Amino acid sequence: GQQLNQSPQSMFIQEGEDVSMNCTSSSIFNTWLWYKQDPGEGPVLLIALYKAGELTSNGRLTAQFGITRKDSFLNISASIPSDVGIYFCAGQLLPSNTNAGKSTFGDGTTLTVKP
Amino acid sequence: DTGVSQNPRHKITKRGQNVTFRCDPISEHNRLYWYRQTLGQGPEFLTYFQNEAQLEKSRLLSDRFSAERPKGSFSTLEIQRTEQGDSAMYLCASSSPARTSTDTQYFGPGTRLTVL
């Protein structure tokens, strides 16, 4: 099955710094999604990307869908303490595939922000 | 939209017991997904429904697991004869590809299962 490699595994940064994390796959995806998960809660959708090359922002967050369809990155600018959490990337296959809609997740990047 | 809700939020059970979890999707979302998440890992797909039809099941879903969505609204996930390896967070998500032309999934808060 598909594997998503998410890096880095963890990050420790100072408040105000910018953050970058990425996700790579050996397979092509039709959709890339970025989620944030707090302890004991479900993932919350941050950004969804639907076209290769697409660059989308949501406040201080910016994500891009790689041209090859096999990677995506997420940037967080001017980090604040509430950015702490685990960030997951997820990919979805082409709609014509029977696996359509099922998301394959990376193993997450744990972000710690020091005030 | 009130969001996806899941009950119970926590369940502690003894090995060998049966457990059942419930998921209420966002209203009018016709697709409903179940995922399992263990510590330090991302969610792993278990199964999904389009309306009341169960369209795909992962190999992770052993014979002890069964999921239903009888009226195309809420869904239940039952685990029979629980094992310690079943301890995990069970996440439900819903989507509405017919309405949004995408299959962007929105997750519930999860049910954390601990099997003693």
Side-chain angles (χ1 to χ4, degrees), chain A residues 53-87:
Chain A
E54 180 181 354
L55 184 71
T56 297
S57 292
N58 177 7
R60 294 178 296 106
L61 278 58
T62 302
Q64 184 158 30
F65 191 144
I67 291 291
T68 65
R69 294 180 175 265
K70 292 183 178 181
D71 63 329
S72 177
F73 72 74
L74 174 71
N75 286 341
I76 305 172
S77 62
S79 57
I80 58 178
S82 62
D83 290 334
V84 164
I86 305 176
Y87 292 80

PDB file of all heavy atoms in Angstrom, chain A residues 53-87:
ATOM      1  N   GLY A  53       0.722  21.785  -7.851  1.00  0.00           N
ATOM      2  CA  GLY A  53       1.243  23.142  -7.896  1.00  0.00           C
ATOM      3  C   GLY A  53       0.455  24.141  -7.067  1.00  0.00           C
ATOM      4  O   GLY A  53       0.917  25.260  -6.831  1.00  0.00           O
ATOM      5  N   GLU A  54      -0.708  23.735  -6.587  1.00  0.00           N
ATOM      6  CA  GLU A  54      -1.563  24.647  -5.831  1.00  0.00           C
ATOM      7  C   GLU A  54      -0.878  25.091  -4.547  1.00  0.00           C
ATOM      8  O   GLU A  54      -0.273  24.295  -3.850  1.00  0.00           O
ATOM      9  CB  GLU A  54      -2.886  23.945  -5.503  1.00  0.00           C
ATOM     10  CG  GLU A  54      -3.873  24.784  -4.704  1.00  0.00           C
ATOM     11  CD  GLU A  54      -5.157  24.010  -4.402  1.00  0.00           C
ATOM     12  OE1 GLU A  54      -5.310  22.879  -4.908  1.00  0.00           O
ATOM     13  OE2 GLU A  54      -5.999  24.537  -3.655  1.00  0.00           O
ATOM     14  N   LEU A  55      -0.983  26.396  -4.276  1.00  0.00           N
ATOM     15  CA  LEU A  55      -0.457  26.991  -3.044  1.00  0.00           C
ATOM     16  C   LEU A  55      -1.638  27.633  -2.338  1.00  0.00           C
ATOM     17  O   LEU A  55      -2.310  28.498  -2.907  1.00  0.00           O
ATOM     18  CB  LEU A  55       0.608  28.033  -3.377  1.00  0.00           C
ATOM     19  CG  LEU A  55       1.341  28.684  -2.196  1.00  0.00           C
ATOM     20  CD1 LEU A  55       2.290  27.678  -1.546  1.00  0.00           C
ATOM     21  CD2 LEU A  55       2.132  29.911  -2.678  1.00  0.00           C
ATOM     22  N   THR A  56      -1.910  27.211  -1.106  1.00  0.00           N
ATOM     23  CA  THR A  56      -3.088  27.685  -0.385  1.00  0.00           C
ATOM     24  C   THR A  56      -2.699  28.155   1.002  1.00  0.00           C
ATOM     25  O   THR A  56      -1.882  27.523   1.665  1.00  0.00           O
ATOM     26  CB  THR A  56      -4.126  26.559  -0.277  1.00  0.00           C
ATOM     27  OG1 THR A  56      -4.557  26.198  -1.578  1.00  0.00           O
ATOM     28  CG2 THR A  56      -5.350  27.008   0.514  1.00  0.00           C
ATOM     29  N   SER A  57      -3.295  29.263   1.427  1.00  0.00           N
ATOM     30  CA  SER A  57      -3.017  29.798   2.759  1.00  0.00           C
ATOM     31  C   SER A  57      -4.267  29.780   3.617  1.00  0.00           C
ATOM     32  O   SER A  57      -5.390  29.895   3.105  1.00  0.00           O
ATOM     33  CB  SER A  57      -2.487  31.234   2.652  1.00  0.00           C
ATOM     34  OG  SER A  57      -1.219  31.240   2.063  1.00  0.00           O
ATOM     35  N   ASN A  58      -4.039  29.646   4.920  1.00  0.00           N
ATOM     36  CA  ASN A  58      -5.105  29.724   5.909  1.00  0.00           C
ATOM     37  C   ASN A  58      -4.500  30.456   7.106  1.00  0.00           C
ATOM     38  O   ASN A  58      -3.882  29.847   7.974  1.00  0.00           O
ATOM     39  CB  ASN A  58      -5.571  28.319   6.294  1.00  0.00           C
ATOM     40  CG  ASN A  58      -6.640  28.354   7.371  1.00  0.00           C
ATOM     41  OD1 ASN A  58      -7.129  29.415   7.737  1.00  0.00           O
ATOM     42  ND2 ASN A  58      -7.003  27.188   7.875  1.00  0.00           N
ATOM     43  N   GLY A  59      -4.653  31.790   7.108  1.00  0.00           N
ATOM     44  CA  GLY A  59      -4.017  32.580   8.162  1.00  0.00           C
ATOM     45  C   GLY A  59      -2.509  32.491   8.063  1.00  0.00           C
ATOM     46  O   GLY A  59      -1.927  32.775   7.016  1.00  0.00           O
ATOM     47  N   ARG A  60      -1.876  32.065   9.153  1.00  0.00           N
ATOM     48  CA  ARG A  60      -0.409  31.964   9.162  1.00  0.00           C
ATOM     49  C   ARG A  60       0.092  30.667   8.537  1.00  0.00           C
ATOM     50  O   ARG A  60       1.305  30.432   8.483  1.00  0.00           O
ATOM     51  CB  ARG A  60       0.090  32.063  10.607  1.00  0.00           C
ATOM     52  CG  ARG A  60      -0.150  33.426  11.261  1.00  0.00           C
ATOM     53  CD  ARG A  60       0.318  33.458  12.710  1.00  0.00           C
ATOM     54  NE  ARG A  60      -0.457  32.528  13.543  1.00  0.00           N
ATOM     55  CZ  ARG A  60       0.012  31.368  13.989  1.00  0.00           C
ATOM     56  NH1 ARG A  60       1.237  30.972  13.708  1.00  0.00           N
ATOM     57  NH2 ARG A  60      -0.751  30.586  14.730  1.00  0.00           N
ATOM     58  N   LEU A  61      -0.812  29.832   8.076  1.00  0.00           N
ATOM     59  CA  LEU A  61      -0.443  28.547   7.480  1.00  0.00           C
ATOM     60  C   LEU A  61      -0.471  28.647   5.960  1.00  0.00           C
ATOM     61  O   LEU A  61      -1.383  29.242   5.385  1.00  0.00           O
ATOM     62  CB  LEU A  61      -1.415  27.456   7.915  1.00  0.00           C
ATOM     63  CG  LEU A  61      -1.214  26.783   9.271  1.00  0.00           C
ATOM     64  CD1 LEU A  61      -1.245  27.772  10.414  1.00  0.00           C
ATOM     65  CD2 LEU A  61      -2.245  25.699   9.482  1.00  0.00           C
ATOM     66  N   THR A  62       0.538  28.041   5.337  1.00  0.00           N
ATOM     67  CA  THR A  62       0.593  27.953   3.888  1.00  0.00           C
ATOM     68  C   THR A  62       0.997  26.534   3.516  1.00  0.00           C
ATOM     69  O   THR A  62       1.929  25.984   4.110  1.00  0.00           O
ATOM     70  CB  THR A  62       1.622  28.939   3.303  1.00  0.00           C
ATOM     71  OG1 THR A  62       1.282  30.260   3.690  1.00  0.00           O
ATOM     72  CG2 THR A  62       1.644  28.852   1.772  1.00  0.00           C
ATOM     73  N   ALA A  63       0.306  25.952   2.551  1.00  0.00           N
ATOM     74  CA  ALA A  63       0.641  24.597   2.112  1.00  0.00           C
ATOM     75  C   ALA A  63       0.693  24.559   0.600  1.00  0.00           C
ATOM     76  O   ALA A  63       0.009  25.339  -0.080  1.00  0.00           O
ATOM     77  CB  ALA A  63      -0.385  23.595   2.634  1.00  0.00           C
ATOM     78  N   GLN A  64       1.519  23.673   0.076  1.00  0.00           N
ATOM     79  CA  GLN A  64       1.622  23.520  -1.371  1.00  0.00           C
ATOM     80  C   GLN A  64       1.523  22.057  -1.774  1.00  0.00           C
ATOM     81  O   GLN A  64       2.035  21.175  -1.084  1.00  0.00           O
ATOM     82  CB  GLN A  64       2.932  24.107  -1.912  1.00  0.00           C
ATOM     83  CG  GLN A  64       3.020  24.051  -3.445  1.00  0.00           C
ATOM     84  CD  GLN A  64       3.973  25.046  -4.030  1.00  0.00           C
ATOM     85  OE1 GLN A  64       4.959  25.422  -3.403  1.00  0.00           O
ATOM     86  NE2 GLN A  64       3.687  25.496  -5.245  1.00  0.00           N
ATOM     87  N   PHE A  65       0.890  21.831  -2.902  1.00  0.00           N
ATOM     88  CA  PHE A  65       0.737  20.517  -3.523  1.00  0.00           C
ATOM     89  C   PHE A  65       1.863  20.410  -4.542  1.00  0.00           C
ATOM     90  O   PHE A  65       1.940  21.187  -5.476  1.00  0.00           O
ATOM     91  CB  PHE A  65      -0.626  20.496  -4.216  1.00  0.00           C
ATOM     92  CG  PHE A  65      -1.102  19.164  -4.714  1.00  0.00           C
ATOM     93  CD1 PHE A  65      -2.446  18.854  -4.653  1.00  0.00           C
ATOM     94  CD2 PHE A  65      -0.249  18.232  -5.279  1.00  0.00           C
ATOM     95  CE1 PHE A  65      -2.933  17.646  -5.143  1.00  0.00           C
ATOM     96  CE2 PHE A  65      -0.709  17.019  -5.748  1.00  0.00           C
ATOM     97  CZ  PHE A  65      -2.068  16.730  -5.689  1.00  0.00           C
ATOM     98  N   GLY A  66       2.762  19.464  -4.360  1.00  0.00           N
ATOM     99  CA  GLY A  66       3.921  19.350  -5.230  1.00  0.00           C
ATOM    100  C   GLY A  66       3.568  19.055  -6.678  1.00  0.00           C
ATOM    101  O   GLY A  66       2.571  18.376  -6.958  1.00  0.00           O
ATOM    102  N   ILE A  67       4.381  19.550  -7.584  1.00  0.00           N
ATOM    103  CA  ILE A  67       4.158  19.379  -9.017  1.00  0.00           C
ATOM    104  C   ILE A  67       4.116  17.911  -9.419  1.00  0.00           C
ATOM    105  O   ILE A  67       3.346  17.508 -10.289  1.00  0.00           O
ATOM    106  CB  ILE A  67       5.259  20.101  -9.819  1.00  0.00           C
ATOM    107  CG1 ILE A  67       5.109  21.608  -9.677  1.00  0.00           C
ATOM    108  CG2 ILE A  67       5.206  19.716 -11.295  1.00  0.00           C
ATOM    109  CD1 ILE A  67       3.879  22.165 -10.375  1.00  0.00           C
ATOM    110  N   THR A  68       4.931  17.094  -8.776  1.00  0.00           N
ATOM    111  CA  THR A  68       4.973  15.669  -9.109  1.00  0.00           C
ATOM    112  C   THR A  68       3.784  14.904  -8.538  1.00  0.00           C
ATOM    113  O   THR A  68       3.597  13.731  -8.825  1.00  0.00           O
ATOM    114  CB  THR A  68       6.262  15.025  -8.567  1.00  0.00           C
ATOM    115  OG1 THR A  68       6.225  15.082  -7.131  1.00  0.00           O
ATOM    116  CG2 THR A  68       7.497  15.731  -9.100  1.00  0.00           C
ATOM    117  N   ARG A  69       2.969  15.545  -7.720  1.00  0.00           N
ATOM    118  CA  ARG A  69       1.832  14.931  -7.004  1.00  0.00           C
ATOM    119  C   ARG A  69       2.292  13.945  -5.932  1.00  0.00           C
ATOM    120  O   ARG A  69       1.467  13.241  -5.351  1.00  0.00           O
ATOM    121  CB  ARG A  69       0.889  14.194  -7.963  1.00  0.00           C
ATOM    122  CG  ARG A  69       0.176  15.094  -8.933  1.00  0.00           C
ATOM    123  CD  ARG A  69      -0.727  14.272  -9.849  1.00  0.00           C
ATOM    124  NE  ARG A  69      -1.515  15.137 -10.715  1.00  0.00           N
ATOM    125  CZ  ARG A  69      -2.742  15.530 -10.451  1.00  0.00           C
ATOM    126  NH1 ARG A  69      -3.350  15.126  -9.359  1.00  0.00           N
ATOM    127  NH2 ARG A  69      -3.386  16.320 -11.278  1.00  0.00           N
ATOM    128  N   LYS A  70       3.590  13.913  -5.652  1.00  0.00           N
ATOM    129  CA  LYS A  70       4.092  12.955  -4.678  1.00  0.00           C
ATOM    130  C   LYS A  70       4.585  13.625  -3.402  1.00  0.00           C
ATOM    131  O   LYS A  70       5.186  12.965  -2.551  1.00  0.00           O
ATOM    132  CB  LYS A  70       5.237  12.145  -5.285  1.00  0.00           C
ATOM    133  CG  LYS A  70       4.796  11.213  -6.402  1.00  0.00           C
ATOM    134  CD  LYS A  70       5.965  10.391  -6.904  1.00  0.00           C
ATOM    135  CE  LYS A  70       5.530   9.422  -7.994  1.00  0.00           C
ATOM    136  NZ  LYS A  70       6.676   8.598  -8.461  1.00  0.00           N
ATOM    137  N   ASP A  71       4.364  14.932  -3.282  1.00  0.00           N
ATOM    138  CA  ASP A  71       4.811  15.588  -2.058  1.00  0.00           C
ATOM    139  C   ASP A  71       4.001  16.840  -1.775  1.00  0.00           C
ATOM    140  O   ASP A  71       3.320  17.388  -2.649  1.00  0.00           O
ATOM    141  CB  ASP A  71       6.305  15.917  -2.129  1.00  0.00           C
ATOM    142  CG  ASP A  71       6.625  16.903  -3.244  1.00  0.00           C
ATOM    143  OD1 ASP A  71       5.925  16.895  -4.276  1.00  0.00           O
ATOM    144  OD2 ASP A  71       7.575  17.679  -3.070  1.00  0.00           O
ATOM    145  N   SER A  72       4.104  17.283  -0.524  1.00  0.00           N
ATOM    146  CA  SER A  72       3.432  18.499  -0.091  1.00  0.00           C
ATOM    147  C   SER A  72       4.199  19.059   1.099  1.00  0.00           C
ATOM    148  O   SER A  72       4.869  18.311   1.817  1.00  0.00           O
ATOM    149  CB  SER A  72       1.984  18.186   0.319  1.00  0.00           C
ATOM    150  OG  SER A  72       1.332  19.348   0.801  1.00  0.00           O
ATOM    151  N   PHE A  73       4.118  20.370   1.274  1.00  0.00           N
ATOM    152  CA  PHE A  73       4.725  20.943   2.476  1.00  0.00           C
ATOM    153  C   PHE A  73       3.732  21.869   3.161  1.00  0.00           C
ATOM    154  O   PHE A  73       2.783  22.367   2.547  1.00  0.00           O
ATOM    155  CB  PHE A  73       6.042  21.663   2.165  1.00  0.00           C
ATOM    156  CG  PHE A  73       5.890  22.973   1.421  1.00  0.00           C
ATOM    157  CD1 PHE A  73       5.428  24.121   2.065  1.00  0.00           C
ATOM    158  CD2 PHE A  73       6.221  23.072   0.082  1.00  0.00           C
ATOM    159  CE1 PHE A  73       5.288  25.310   1.387  1.00  0.00           C
ATOM    160  CE2 PHE A  73       6.091  24.262  -0.602  1.00  0.00           C
ATOM    161  CZ  PHE A  73       5.621  25.384   0.049  1.00  0.00           C
ATOM    162  N   LEU A  74       3.992  22.090   4.454  1.00  0.00           N
ATOM    163  CA  LEU A  74       3.191  23.009   5.255  1.00  0.00           C
ATOM    164  C   LEU A  74       4.146  23.962   5.955  1.00  0.00           C
ATOM    165  O   LEU A  74       5.112  23.525   6.578  1.00  0.00           O
ATOM    166  CB  LEU A  74       2.367  22.252   6.304  1.00  0.00           C
ATOM    167  CG  LEU A  74       1.596  23.119   7.303  1.00  0.00           C
ATOM    168  CD1 LEU A  74       0.427  23.807   6.609  1.00  0.00           C
ATOM    169  CD2 LEU A  74       1.082  22.273   8.468  1.00  0.00           C
ATOM    170  N   ASN A  75       3.893  25.241   5.832  1.00  0.00           N
ATOM    171  CA  ASN A  75       4.659  26.255   6.552  1.00  0.00           C
ATOM    172  C   ASN A  75       3.757  26.956   7.551  1.00  0.00           C
ATOM    173  O   ASN A  75       2.595  27.250   7.256  1.00  0.00           O
ATOM    174  CB  ASN A  75       5.224  27.305   5.585  1.00  0.00           C
ATOM    175  CG  ASN A  75       6.383  26.773   4.772  1.00  0.00           C
ATOM    176  OD1 ASN A  75       7.000  25.778   5.127  1.00  0.00           O
ATOM    177  ND2 ASN A  75       6.680  27.429   3.665  1.00  0.00           N
ATOM    178  N   ILE A  76       4.322  27.248   8.727  1.00  0.00           N
ATOM    179  CA  ILE A  76       3.640  28.050   9.726  1.00  0.00           C
ATOM    180  C   ILE A  76       4.524  29.254   9.995  1.00  0.00           C
ATOM    181  O   ILE A  76       5.702  29.110  10.340  1.00  0.00           O
ATOM    182  CB  ILE A  76       3.409  27.276  11.045  1.00  0.00           C
ATOM    183  CG1 ILE A  76       2.664  25.972  10.777  1.00  0.00           C
ATOM    184  CG2 ILE A  76       2.634  28.142  12.045  1.00  0.00           C
ATOM    185  CD1 ILE A  76       2.557  25.067  11.999  1.00  0.00           C
ATOM    186  N   SER A  77       3.990  30.435   9.831  1.00  0.00           N
ATOM    187  CA  SER A  77       4.794  31.632  10.064  1.00  0.00           C
ATOM    188  C   SER A  77       4.501  32.204  11.444  1.00  0.00           C
ATOM    189  O   SER A  77       3.390  32.068  11.967  1.00  0.00           O
ATOM    190  CB  SER A  77       4.514  32.685   8.987  1.00  0.00           C
ATOM    191  OG  SER A  77       3.165  33.079   9.038  1.00  0.00           O
ATOM    192  N   ALA A  78       5.521  32.826  12.030  1.00  0.00           N
ATOM    193  CA  ALA A  78       5.378  33.527  13.314  1.00  0.00           C
ATOM    194  C   ALA A  78       4.645  32.663  14.335  1.00  0.00           C
ATOM    195  O   ALA A  78       3.560  33.020  14.810  1.00  0.00           O
ATOM    196  CB  ALA A  78       4.658  34.856  13.104  1.00  0.00           C
ATOM    197  N   SER A  79       5.231  31.524  14.672  1.00  0.00           N
ATOM    198  CA  SER A  79       4.561  30.546  15.536  1.00  0.00           C
ATOM    199  C   SER A  79       4.194  31.151  16.895  1.00  0.00           C
ATOM    200  O   SER A  79       4.874  32.050  17.419  1.00  0.00           O
ATOM    201  CB  SER A  79       5.470  29.333  15.737  1.00  0.00           C
ATOM    202  OG  SER A  79       6.707  29.731  16.283  1.00  0.00           O
ATOM    203  N   ILE A  80       3.116  30.632  17.441  1.00  0.00           N
ATOM    204  CA  ILE A  80       2.622  31.043  18.756  1.00  0.00           C
ATOM    205  C   ILE A  80       2.419  29.788  19.601  1.00  0.00           C
ATOM    206  O   ILE A  80       2.344  28.674  19.053  1.00  0.00           O
ATOM    207  CB  ILE A  80       1.305  31.847  18.636  1.00  0.00           C
ATOM    208  CG1 ILE A  80       0.226  31.019  17.929  1.00  0.00           C
ATOM    209  CG2 ILE A  80       1.548  33.160  17.898  1.00  0.00           C
ATOM    210  CD1 ILE A  80      -1.117  31.728  17.810  1.00  0.00           C
ATOM    211  N   PRO A  81       2.328  29.920  20.911  1.00  0.00           N
ATOM    212  CA  PRO A  81       2.220  28.724  21.765  1.00  0.00           C
ATOM    213  C   PRO A  81       1.067  27.796  21.410  1.00  0.00           C
ATOM    214  O   PRO A  81       1.188  26.575  21.533  1.00  0.00           O
ATOM    215  CB  PRO A  81       2.047  29.326  23.161  1.00  0.00           C
ATOM    216  CG  PRO A  81       2.805  30.620  23.101  1.00  0.00           C
ATOM    217  CD  PRO A  81       2.536  31.146  21.714  1.00  0.00           C
ATOM    218  N   SER A  82      -0.048  28.326  20.946  1.00  0.00           N
ATOM    219  CA  SER A  82      -1.193  27.461  20.612  1.00  0.00           C
ATOM    220  C   SER A  82      -0.983  26.659  19.327  1.00  0.00           C
ATOM    221  O   SER A  82      -1.822  25.820  18.984  1.00  0.00           O
ATOM    222  CB  SER A  82      -2.475  28.290  20.488  1.00  0.00           C
ATOM    223  OG  SER A  82      -2.351  29.223  19.445  1.00  0.00           O
ATOM    224  N   ASP A  83       0.127  26.857  18.648  1.00  0.00           N
ATOM    225  CA  ASP A  83       0.449  26.028  17.479  1.00  0.00           C
ATOM    226  C   ASP A  83       0.948  24.650  17.901  1.00  0.00           C
ATOM    227  O   ASP A  83       1.086  23.752  17.068  1.00  0.00           O
ATOM    228  CB  ASP A  83       1.521  26.691  16.604  1.00  0.00           C
ATOM    229  CG  ASP A  83       1.010  27.923  15.882  1.00  0.00           C
ATOM    230  OD1 ASP A  83      -0.215  28.012  15.645  1.00  0.00           O
ATOM    231  OD2 ASP A  83       1.829  28.804  15.569  1.00  0.00           O
ATOM    232  N   VAL A  84       1.208  24.476  19.183  1.00  0.00           N
ATOM    233  CA  VAL A  84       1.682  23.187  19.695  1.00  0.00           C
ATOM    234  C   VAL A  84       0.686  22.085  19.343  1.00  0.00           C
ATOM    235  O   VAL A  84      -0.522  22.268  19.476  1.00  0.00           O
ATOM    236  CB  VAL A  84       1.886  23.265  21.221  1.00  0.00           C
ATOM    237  CG1 VAL A  84       1.991  21.881  21.827  1.00  0.00           C
ATOM    238  CG2 VAL A  84       3.098  24.095  21.551  1.00  0.00           C
ATOM    239  N   GLY A  85       1.215  20.962  18.900  1.00  0.00           N
ATOM    240  CA  GLY A  85       0.349  19.829  18.579  1.00  0.00           C
ATOM    241  C   GLY A  85       1.053  18.909  17.596  1.00  0.00           C
ATOM    242  O   GLY A  85       2.238  19.073  17.312  1.00  0.00           O
ATOM    243  N   ILE A  86       0.310  17.964  17.077  1.00  0.00           N
ATOM    244  CA  ILE A  86       0.842  17.035  16.076  1.00  0.00           C
ATOM    245  C   ILE A  86       0.198  17.367  14.742  1.00  0.00           C
ATOM    246  O   ILE A  86      -1.034  17.443  14.635  1.00  0.00           O
ATOM    247  CB  ILE A  86       0.573  15.570  16.453  1.00  0.00           C
ATOM    248  CG1 ILE A  86       1.124  15.267  17.834  1.00  0.00           C
ATOM    249  CG2 ILE A  86       1.212  14.648  15.409  1.00  0.00           C
ATOM    250  CD1 ILE A  86       0.819  13.853  18.315  1.00  0.00           C
ATOM    251  N   TYR A  87       1.012  17.558  13.742  1.00  0.00           N
ATOM    252  CA  TYR A  87       0.547  17.898  12.401  1.00  0.00           C
ATOM    253  C   TYR A  87       0.666  16.657  11.504  1.00  0.00           C
ATOM    254  O   TYR A  87       1.727  16.046  11.434  1.00  0.00           O
ATOM    255  CB  TYR A  87       1.354  19.058  11.832  1.00  0.00           C
ATOM    256  CG  TYR A  87       1.081  20.352  12.564  1.00  0.00           C
ATOM    257  CD1 TYR A  87       1.687  20.623  13.787  1.00  0.00           C
ATOM    258  CD2 TYR A  87       0.195  21.289  12.045  1.00  0.00           C
ATOM    259  CE1 TYR A  87       1.416  21.793  14.476  1.00  0.00           C
ATOM    260  CE2 TYR A  87      -0.079  22.471  12.727  1.00  0.00           C
ATOM    261  CZ  TYR A  87       0.536  22.707  13.943  1.00  0.00           C
ATOM    262  OH  TYR A  87       0.256  23.864  14.623  1.00  0.00           O
TER     263      TYR A  87
END
